[in-house]
Amino acid sequence: MSRPAAGPAFRPTKLTDVELALRDQVREFLAAELPRGTFRPGLGMNSSADPAFSRKLGERGWLGMALPARYGGGDRSAVERFIVTEELLRWGAPVAYHWVADRQSGPVINRFGTEVQKRRFLPGICAGRLGFSIGMSEPDAGSDLAAIKARAVRVDGGWRLSGTKIWTTGAHHNDWIITLCRTGDSAERHAGLSQLLVDLHADGVAVHPIPFLDGSTHFNEVVLTDVFVADDDVLGEIGQGWAQTTSELAYERGGPDRWLSTYLLVEQFLREFTGTPTGERARDLLASAVSRWWALRQLSLSVARSIDTGGAPSVESALVKEMATRFEQDVIAAVERLVDLEPSPRSASLFERLLAEAVLTGPSFTIRGGTLEILRSVTAKGLRP
């Protein structure tokens, strides 16, 4: 008789008293630093970039929290970073400048980088002074990363890199990009790939913003034309790019950013419609949203606990991301059904501005970090005996 599939290993967990105290500290900081009404809140990681705010987080030790102290990190846990991140996103804080660097570039450099690279990049990431982008997707290779065509060829002292990356978050204001490219030829699509650290201000790098319909910019096209990358800027081992990239996705897919993008929309709906007939009709929406949100939060917290105990929860992260981004889009659709208006990004109502932003950017939720189809494939493979 065949052995049943084990399935993703989510373990129940809850925050300790020490972790809850950290949560309270972050809430007090945000209330003092960004009082309601004094800034424009953003929807999750789609918020604005504010390097000065990122530096303040770095000064408090709330960036690079799980990185080693000898590189400027906090030697703290993934769960503690989860707590800080949850509060920042719930508040709509301007996290875009440090977001990718803190979430995954720092941990990836710490895991695969040389000692020189760690001392060169990690202190700046932890201080909120270096912004990173992800150079994975291409015009003809979205979630199917094995189809990428960007190529680096060997030259004296390094590599010459050419190709195009697309849907590159924050490249218009960041400093570096970790670029997945081909450095060898192989009949096996996942072989011959490597990761290079590329200065976004280097000769041959051109960044073209891709605006949303409201004119805001989040994604970019990055064109690389004969960009010289020194041997010192090879991340990890040549030819091991696929393994390094897949290990990176656990940091990208399982966190609070995958289920908190529309939290502020619902919160602001309650602020502006409580006591109105529309507010009274919102009971079913709130019951569904809160129950699904709480379940996703517990799964996501379990992923963080797994990372802290040495796990590599890539399957669990993929499952969280698949369910969570569908949930975020479902919330937008449910709110739209409750309110009879054509939301304007220039409205005096914060709720209306947030709804307009959500409608315009919501379609990207189930694409960024891997499409639903790719995530289901990853999860299905993980269910095999």
Side-chain angles (χ1 to χ4, degrees), residues 53 59 66 73 90 133-134 152 205 220 253 316 344 346 359:
F53 179 76
E59 290 168 0
R90 184 184 67 82
S133 290
I134 304 167
V205 178
N220 299 268
R253 289 174 171 169
E316 290 84 351
S344 169
R346 290 171 294 278
V359 170

Side-chain angles (χ1 to χ4, degrees), residues 18 218 285:
V18 172
H218 183 69
L285 160 67

Side-chain angles (χ1 to χ4, degrees), residues 283-367:
R283 183 181 59 185
D284 291 342
L285 160 67
L286 294 175
S288 174
V290 170
S291 60
R292 290 175 66 186
W293 171 83
W294 187 253
L296 289 165
R297 181 183 186 273
Q298 293 304 104
L299 294 175
S300 182
L301 181 57
S302 176
V303 167
R305 287 278 189 226
S306 176
I307 291 173
D308 282 336
T309 55
S314 58
V315 173
E316 290 84 351
S317 295
L319 186 56
V320 170
K321 199 272 180 186
E322 195 278 342
M323 294 188 295
T325 51
R326 282 192 293 111
F327 161 73
E328 291 181 320
Q329 291 178 337
D330 290 346
V331 166
I332 298 171
V335 171
E336 279 191 289
R337 288 193 295 269
L338 279 173
V339 295
D340 183 19
L341 58 83
E342 188 78 25
S344 169
R346 290 171 294 278
S347 172
S349 160
L350 175 57
F351 164 75
E352 193 173 335
R353 297 198 303 272
L354 290 172
L355 179 58
E357 181 180 347
V359 170
L360 292 172
T361 62
S364 72
F365 295 171
T366 48
I367 298 174

Side-chain angles (χ1 to χ4, degrees), residues 71-128:
Y71 304 124
D75 275 331
R76 301 177 78 165
S77 68
V79 170
E80 287 174 299
R81 182 190 175 274
F82 175 102
I83 292 165
V84 173
T85 300
E86 182 179 30
E87 293 305 314
L88 291 172
L89 296 178
R90 184 184 67 82
W91 200 260
V95 300
Y97 178 66
H98 68 261
W99 182 257
V100 170
D102 177 62
R103 181 184 67 183
Q104 67 196 90
S105 302
V108 167
I109 292 171
N110 183 56
R111 181 173 181 181
F112 298 109
T114 65
E115 183 65 21
V116 171
Q117 288 171 344
K118 293 175 186 179
R119 294 192 179 280
R120 180 182 174 192
F121 292 108
L122 296 186
I125 290 173
C126 296

Side-chain angles (χ1 to χ4, degrees), residues 119-196:
R119 294 192 179 280
R120 180 182 174 192
F121 292 108
L122 296 186
I125 290 173
C126 296
R129 296 182 181 277
L130 277 182
F132 273 73
S133 290
I134 304 167
M136 294 186 190
S137 295
E138 297 184 2
D140 297 317
S143 291
D144 183 15
L145 293 178
I148 67 167
K149 297 178 181 177
R151 178 174 292 273
V153 297
R154 201 75 174 88
V155 297
D156 186 31
W159 302 81
R160 284 287 177 189
L161 172 64
S162 293
T164 301
K165 296 297 178 178
I166 203 164
W167 313 126
T168 311
T169 302
H172 58 305
H173 57 64
N174 284 335
D175 308 293
W176 290 81
I177 180 171
I178 297 180
T179 306
L180 183 67
C181 62
R182 295 201 172 277
T183 51
D185 295 306
S186 173
E188 209 289 296
R189 295 198 318 153
H190 301 92
L193 297 173
S194 303
Q195 287 183 305
L196 304 181

